[in-house]
Amino acid sequence: MEFKNLIVDIQKPIAIVTVNRPKVLNALNLETVGELGAAFTMLEANPDVRAIIMTGSGEKAFVAGADITEFRGKTSPEMLPFAKKGHDVARIMESMGKPIIAAINGYALGGGCEMSMACDMRFAADTAKFGQPEILLGLIPGMGGTQRLARLVGLGIARELVYGGEQITAQRAYEIGLVNHVFPAAQLMEETKKFALKLAAKPSHALKMAKLAMNYGFDLSLDNALMVETQCFAQCWSHPDLEEGVAAFIEKRKANFHQD
Ligand code: CO8
């Protein structure tokens, strides 16, 4: 599949999705948002891919937000489908069975920070900058930022970032729990790949069940969430990986997953 604004590089067993609009700091225009949805849907269906990295082209930006030039002269009804499309892509990312790691190589602002929050985890370069600067445009976050940020860092700090619109450093993002790890910029991709390969070696069906249980359960009441977990737990018996993992433990050998 060919993309105009993305590079999708499959390096079995992982894939790297790079937003490739460096002249505008990888800002997300509507076309790019559509391509991201298509790319993740394609990667979900590709059995050669077990983990995905999402990053931005160039050294300056992961994604500097939605493409502001597309905002001019628009009306509220015209912008509804734009926001809906962004949410749809984020939901594709969260509901697909494969883990996605954001390798944040620079500015992750507005829709860029929001895209990263739809990934399973965030690894950042020490030079990266984060923020929800929409307020400075007379706007609010529209790709889940008013919701996912609070779920990751707590409502108080999320309010500070969304109301204030200020950028924070990678170190601060780490301190508030927005990113999992911070690496020197030159090592970011190597370290992220190393981790993605570790995830790719895990039994993929169990990993999918863990992702679904955590993503679907998180917003439910504890009773309902535990029901989701019960279903996903029991589903693990529907895949040969479990038989293999248990046999390997009992026979004191390394498990040989991915026979499917
Ligand atoms: N949209 C369009 N163009 C952009 C964007 C953007 N978000 N960000 C940067 N660019 C362009 C600049 O206009 C500039 O273009 P040109 O060279 O033609 O002048 C080029 O990229 C380089 O940028 P700068 O010269 O500004 O670079 P600086 O190093 O001086 O500054 C910054 C970097 C701080 C990142 C600055 O560019 C900036 O503030 N960018 C805007 C950040 C922002 O406000 N982002 C939020 C946008 S709103 C949003 O994301 C809402 C999400 C809605 C949901 C989306 C659903 C899909």
Side-chain angles (χ1 to χ4, degrees):
M1 196 182 273
E2 284 297 310
F3 297 102
K4 196 166 141 202
N5 307 290
L6 305 179
I7 300 168
V8 178
D9 181 12
I10 296 179
Q11 304 178 6
K12 287 194 241 179
I14 66 171
I16 303 173
V17 176
T18 305
V19 179
N20 188 32
R21 303 186 77 217
K23 284 191 185 144
V24 288
L25 306 187
N26 305 318
L28 300 174
N29 59 359
L30 192 57
E31 186 178 51
T32 308
V33 176
E35 286 189 356
L36 282 166
F40 285 116
T41 303
M42 174 192 83
L43 293 173
E44 171 75 325
N46 185 336
D48 290 335
V49 174
R50 298 184 189 280
I52 298 161
I53 295 172
M54 182 182 176
T55 193
S57 191
E59 288 175 5
K60 207 167 161 184
F62 172 71
V63 167
D67 190 325
I68 298 168
T69 61
E70 287 193 342
F71 289 175
R72 252 197 161 156
K74 292 285 194 315
T75 61
S76 299
E78 282 170 333
M79 289 312 283
L80 275 176
F82 184 70
K84 170 89 172 59
K85 201 159 184 175
H87 285 150
D88 288 348
V89 173
R91 282 322 243 171
I92 288 171
M93 294 164 70
E94 287 173 331
S95 60
M96 66 189 283
K98 300 172 186 183
I100 308 172
I101 308 173
I104 299 161
N105 52 314
Y107 289 111
L109 301 176
C113 188
E114 294 172 291
M115 271 315 279
S116 83
M117 290 191 283
C119 296
D120 291 279
M121 47 200 96
R122 284 147 295 285
F123 291 5
D126 53 0
T127 50
K129 292 271 171 60
F130 294 79
Q132 296 293 157
E134 289 90 342
I135 196 83
L136 308 176
L137 298 167
L139 188 61
I140 71 165
M143 201 177 171
T146 60
Q147 305 307 311
R148 288 190 184 88
L149 188 58
R151 283 163 171 76
L152 276 169
V153 306
L155 197 49
I157 290 176
R159 285 192 187 114
E160 182 184 329
L161 293 172
V162 171
Y163 298 177
E166 283 179 20
Q167 292 178 22
I168 58 169
T169 62
Q171 180 55 33
R172 177 68 182 146
Y174 176 74
E175 286 162 11
I176 63 176
L178 180 55
V179 303
N180 298 61
H181 297 286
V182 179
F183 297 107
Q187 288 165 26
L188 173 68
M189 196 38 87
E190 186 192 330
E191 293 292 339
T192 310
K193 273 191 195 172
K194 232 190 265 175
F195 195 82
L197 285 168
K198 270 191 204 170
L199 294 185
K202 299 282 184 286
S204 50
H205 184 256
L207 208 150
K208 176 178 181 171
M209 290 302 112
K211 175 165 174 170
L212 296 186
M214 295 180 88
N215 281 1
Y216 283 105
F218 195 75
D219 289 322
L220 301 177
S221 68
L222 184 59
D223 278 342
N224 287 336
L226 292 176
M227 273 202 291
V228 172
E229 184 189 77
T230 303
Q231 291 299 323
C232 290
F233 174 80
Q235 270 296 314
C236 293
W237 272 263
S238 71
H239 195 279
D241 275 349
L242 183 129
E243 186 87 9
E244 168 60 12
V246 172
F249 175 80
I250 292 168
E251 294 160 21
K252 299 190 188 305
R253 60 173 174 83
K254 195 171 180 308
N256 183 16
F257 293 122
H258 306 144
Q259 303 290 307
D260 53 326

